[in-house]
Amino acid sequence: KPVTTDMKTLTEEIEKFAEGKKIEIDTLKIREEYRRDFLGNVSHELKTPLFTVQGYILTLLDGAMNDKKLRQKYLQRASKGVERLIYIVKDLDLITKLEVGDLKLTREDFDVIELIQNTFDLLEMKAAQKQIALVFDMEYPNPVYVNADREKVQQVISNLLVNSIKYGHANGTTEVSVENLIKNKVIIRVTDNGSGIPKQHIPRLFERFYRVDQSGSRSEGGSGLGLSIVKHIIEAHGEKIYVESEVGVGSEFSFTLEKTAKRAE
Ligand code: ADP
């Protein structure tokens, strides 16, 4: 009798053990899949600009180097390709840190209105090139102090503005507004009247490397990482991001931040 009990216990233990191992193996498999998927995407993203740069270099070596005008033109294009590679690698670095939870927030109190205006200044040229107006919805806005990681919030605003420029129409407008939500929250909205996003893509928009129109987005030269970086940063702050969009009308991305009564020094 004691043997059967022991056998039963033993069987149970073996099952438990096997079950535990199975879960471990499943997790490992998922991780391995994730890693493979990630690496696959990375090499895919890097390939296009690398081949482009190599193409210009080969053309130069092939004789274009001897023509002053062509030399200038191809070197400039090669440099643009390298610039794009740098952006992609920077985004990859950031997303890796954000995904393993390795990025610490440095919170401080700052005026988010001023930060938005700063970001407008940085992107003014880019917007002007596409004849897109960046506007603030208040003419003389009062400061709004929030408690957050200033640099990362700037990256969020910048990524959203860059997208509104990339996917906007010439002579379009991107409007930014800051509103009180509930007592200690503000909501920042970035609204464009660009191409809009088809409904079926909305749930996947914040996934890394996800793009709506593969060819169209690719020609805009993004990495498909912008929105996933945005989401990670907002969630690391314990805040939320929302999107509303309609094809042919435009898109609105909005996110919340914690308001603070305390003024920055
Ligand atoms: P990308 O580097 O391709 O811009 P993102 O993660 O920033 O990557 O955006 C993912 C996709 O969402 C884009 O490829 C684009 O198709 C779509 N998208 C993002 N923002 C907008 C917008 N303001 N208007 C229309 N489409 C957008």
Side-chain angles (χ1 to χ4, degrees), residues 129-147:
Q129 275 166 5
K130 267 204 75 174
Q131 289 163 305
I132 286 179
L134 300 178
V135 298
F136 212 83
D137 83 330
M138 295 173 269
E139 210 174 342
Y140 300 107
N142 289 319
V144 175
Y145 287 94
V146 294
N147 182 268

Side-chain angles (χ1 to χ4, degrees), residues 191-250:
T191 315
D192 66 53
N193 53 7
S195 63
I197 303 156
K199 251 197 182 60
Q200 69 269 28
H201 295 287
I202 304 258
R204 300 196 58 192
L205 219 53
F206 294 99
E207 285 175 26
R208 55 180 161 72
F209 300 114
Y210 191 79
R211 279 164 169 164
V212 174
D213 163 12
Q214 293 288 333
S215 53
S217 302
R218 209 159 290 271
S219 70
E220 286 299 338
S223 62
L225 292 171
L227 285 180
S228 59
I229 289 173
V230 162
K231 187 167 190 266
H232 272 298
I233 293 177
I234 296 301
E235 288 180 349
H237 280 85
E239 302 292 342
K240 287 205 156 62
I241 175 136
Y242 309 93
V243 54
E244 273 176 51
S245 190
E246 205 180 323
V247 174
V249 178

Side-chain angles (χ1 to χ4, degrees), residues 56-78:
Y56 291 125
I57 294 172
L58 288 177
T59 315
L60 283 165
L61 289 175
D62 219 29
M65 205 155 53
N66 304 322
D67 181 317
K68 196 173 169 235
K69 263 203 185 133
L70 282 182
R71 188 167 63 214
Q72 182 79 3
K73 186 166 130 189
Y74 289 135
L75 279 174
Q76 259 161 3
R77 289 187 183 173

Side-chain angles (χ1 to χ4, degrees), residues 28-38:
L28 277 179
K29 263 194 197 150
I30 292 169
R31 269 199 215 147
E32 177 57 24
E33 236 166 69
Y34 173 93
R35 205 176 61 90
R36 219 178 311 141
D37 197 43
F38 188 77

Side-chain angles (χ1 to χ4, degrees), residues 7-160:
M7 273 301 281
K8 199 174 160 250
T9 323
L10 191 65
T11 319
E12 267 172 16
E13 260 173 31
I14 290 172
E15 268 168 12
K16 251 203 323 235
F17 178 76
E19 197 53 34
K21 285 291 169 223
K22 192 177 161 302
I23 290 167
E24 246 173 62
I25 290 166
D26 281 352
T27 327
L28 277 179
K29 263 194 197 150
I30 292 169
R31 269 199 215 147
E32 177 57 24
E33 236 166 69
Y34 173 93
R35 205 176 61 90
R36 219 178 311 141
D37 197 43
F38 188 77
L39 286 178
N41 280 318
V42 169
S43 40
H44 184 83
E45 288 310 317
L46 296 179
K47 236 188 273 172
T48 317
L50 274 174
F51 281 138
T52 312
V53 172
Q54 172 72 333
Y56 291 125
I57 294 172
L58 288 177
T59 315
L60 283 165
L61 289 175
D62 219 29
M65 205 155 53
N66 304 322
D67 181 317
K68 196 173 169 235
K69 263 203 185 133
L70 282 182
R71 188 167 63 214
Q72 182 79 3
K73 186 166 130 189
Y74 289 135
L75 279 174
Q76 259 161 3
R77 289 187 183 173
S79 164
K80 266 244 157 348
V82 174
E83 202 177 286
R84 193 175 155 205
L85 281 165
I86 293 171
Y87 277 125
I88 296 177
V89 171
K90 271 194 185 162
D91 276 356
L92 282 170
D93 188 44
L94 188 59
I95 197 84
T96 314
K97 283 188 179 138
L98 287 166
E99 286 193 353
V100 298
D102 216 18
L103 208 77
K104 301 278 167 287
L105 294 181
T106 315
R107 282 184 180 262
E108 59 179 310
D109 292 344
F110 63 90
D111 174 13
V112 74
I113 305 285
E114 191 217 315
L115 188 73
I116 294 167
Q117 272 158 347
N118 265 341
T119 321
F120 273 7
D121 293 344
L122 291 175
L123 295 172
E124 205 173 51
M125 285 261 285
K126 208 181 179 75
Q129 275 166 5
K130 267 204 75 174
Q131 289 163 305
I132 286 179
L134 300 178
V135 298
F136 212 83
D137 83 330
M138 295 173 269
E139 210 174 342
Y140 300 107
N142 289 319
V144 175
Y145 287 94
V146 294
N147 182 268
D149 186 316
R150 192 177 192 277
E151 204 180 294
K152 301 217 172 52
V153 172
Q154 177 151 40
Q155 169 124 39
V156 167
I157 298 167
S158 170
N159 284 8
L160 294 179

